[in-house]
Amino acid sequence: MIRISKKVEYALMALKFISDSDHKLVTAREISDKSNIPYDLLSKILQKLKNENILISNQGMNGGYSLNKRTDEIPLFNLMTAIDGDTSIAECLQDNSVKDCCLTDTCTIKLPVTRLQKELEDLFKSKTISDFV
Amino acid sequence: MIRISKKVEYALMALKFISDSDHKLVTAREISDKSNIPYDLLSKILQKLKNENILISNQGMNGGYSLNKRTDEIPLFNLMTAIDGDTSIAECLQDNSVKDCCLTDTCTIKLPVTRLQKELEDLFKSKTISDFV
DNA sequence: TTGAATTTGGACTAATATAGTCCTATATAT
DNA sequence: ATATATAGGACTATATTAGTCCAAATTCAA
Ligand code: SF4
Ligand code: SF4
């Protein structure tokens, strides 16, 4: 299964929600309630989006989140890396190559796998959040 | 992480191995030894490929596997479904929709996610094993 | 200045999926 | 007969993903 993680799906829904209520601050609680997304989990996700400068956050009473960029300026790829940390299709292609696949020496498909990775990356980079709102 | 499963990687290596030793029967043991792939696991994978008519198997002494199709006639997509059973990027897009995402009623991104799924599928269908050998 | 609403973030547990193992049956060439 | 193969069910181990819990910091406003 080549799954988009639930977290990324939640992020997409949240961004759509925020985008739809334009310019008003939106709270995590509000999104959680309206979209049936677990509150604590959603909070973490929104925080990550804030750390990637996709969202702006305002703490305290009457606080909440708002978009920091136009939706068409946020590639799906960035969202995915922001949330899941890595988008490599194979162990040996991980950014932080701490882990190295034990077959790395005898592997006969590294090159074509790398090419495939590139193509998938290009696809995810070509999509933006505006395609989901 | 959008990972190609290790099983699919093993399948690709095995198919390359079989393709390289053209027309001679190749045993699971041989591939396992030469490629450092766990024997039992590889056996299961080859069996699945046989059940999908990608390989032909010969039981008994001097038995082994051979290709049933040219490598450019085997889409990567078919390999993935044969081995991992499903390639849907979201729960609600599974073939056997026994499981249904609990958000299915309130979900706001089903349509674009379906479109993305289609594009990924097309990419995996356009690749064939010949791209990996 | 107190309190409620909010984000922040670490640490943890639970659920699921992937990877790998073990064992037995069946087929076949010699 | 027997050694060498594939066939396949049932199981265990590991890794990843999903979800929870708790305490802190920030801000507004009564
Ligand atoms: S099997 Fe090959 S392509 Fe896959 S992770 Fe290991 S080295 Fe990389
Ligand atoms: S969240 Fe939406 S797109 Fe994702 S699985 Fe559930 S219904 Fe499908």
Side-chain angles (χ1 to χ4, degrees):
Chain A
M1 277 175 284
I2 301 287
R3 278 278 159 91
I4 300 294
S5 75
K6 271 274 186 296
K7 289 179 190 175
V8 167
E9 291 193 320
Y10 292 159
L12 288 171
M13 286 189 232
L15 287 171
K16 177 172 170 59
F17 193 100
I18 296 171
S19 168
D20 283 350
S21 51
D22 51 5
H23 303 304
K24 274 212 335 274
L25 285 185
V26 184
T27 67
R29 178 63 63 188
E30 202 178 342
I31 303 173
S32 163
D33 286 347
K34 297 272 177 58
S35 308
N36 294 310
I37 300 170
Y39 172 74
D40 288 305
L41 189 51
L42 179 63
S43 296
K44 294 281 160 58
I45 291 166
L46 296 176
Q47 283 163 37
K48 281 186 178 170
L49 296 183
K50 179 249 172 182
N51 288 333
E52 294 292 319
N53 298 311
I54 291 170
L55 293 178
I56 292 173
S57 72
N58 295 82
Q59 273 190 308
M61 210 170 184
N62 303 330
Y65 294 93
S66 58
L67 285 174
N68 193 28
K69 302 178 181 183
R70 292 207 321 267
T71 54
D72 62 359
E73 292 172 331
I74 310 167
L76 175 59
F77 181 79
N78 295 31
L79 191 77
M80 289 166 61
T81 51
I83 290 171
D84 293 334
D86 182 46
T87 48
S88 61
I89 60 170
E91 205 176 340
C92 66
L93 300 180
Q94 275 183 152
D95 295 336
N96 61 344
S97 58
V98 189
K99 296 181 75 173
D100 217 10
C101 171
C102 60
L103 297 183
T104 195
D105 294 329
T106 51
C107 180
T108 56
I109 56 166
K110 229 174 200 169
L111 205 68
V113 165
T114 307
R115 277 201 296 266
L116 179 60
Q117 155 102 340
K118 177 78 171 60
E119 290 193 46
L120 283 168
E121 251 182 55
D122 287 347
L123 178 56
F124 290 127
K125 280 174 180 166
S126 76
K127 299 278 160 196
T128 72
I129 304 309
S130 64
D131 296 318
F132 293 83
V133 302
Chain B
M1 276 175 286
I2 302 288
R3 278 279 159 92
I4 299 295
S5 75
K6 272 274 188 294
K7 289 180 191 176
V8 167
E9 292 193 319
Y10 293 159
L12 289 169
M13 286 189 234
L15 287 170
K16 177 174 170 57
F17 193 100
I18 296 170
S19 168
D20 283 350
S21 50
D22 50 7
H23 302 304
K24 274 212 335 276
L25 285 186
V26 185
T27 67
R29 178 64 63 187
E30 203 178 343
I31 303 173
S32 164
D33 286 347
K34 298 273 176 57
S35 309
N36 293 310
I37 299 171
Y39 172 75
D40 287 306
L41 188 51
L42 180 63
S43 296
K44 294 280 161 59
I45 292 165
L46 296 176
Q47 282 163 38
K48 280 184 179 170
L49 296 184
K50 180 251 171 178
N51 288 334
E52 293 293 318
N53 299 311
I54 291 170
L55 292 178
I56 293 172
S57 73
N58 295 81
Q59 275 190 306
M61 210 173 182
N62 302 333
Y65 294 94
S66 57
L67 286 173
N68 193 28
K69 303 178 182 184
R70 292 207 321 267
T71 53
D72 63 359
E73 292 172 329
I74 310 166
L76 175 58
F77 181 79
N78 296 31
L79 190 78
M80 289 167 60
T81 52
I83 291 170
D84 293 335
D86 182 46
T87 48
S88 60
I89 61 170
E91 204 176 340
C92 65
L93 300 180
Q94 275 183 152
D95 295 335
N96 61 342
S97 58
V98 188
K99 297 182 74 174
D100 216 10
C101 171
C102 59
L103 297 184
T104 197
D105 294 328
T106 52
C107 181
T108 56
I109 57 167
K110 230 175 200 167
L111 205 69
V113 164
T114 307
R115 276 200 297 265
L116 179 60
Q117 155 103 340
K118 178 79 173 57
E119 289 193 45
L120 283 169
E121 250 182 54
D122 287 346
L123 177 56
F124 289 127
K125 280 175 181 165
S126 76
K127 298 279 159 195
T128 72
I129 304 310
S130 64
D131 296 318
F132 293 84
V133 302

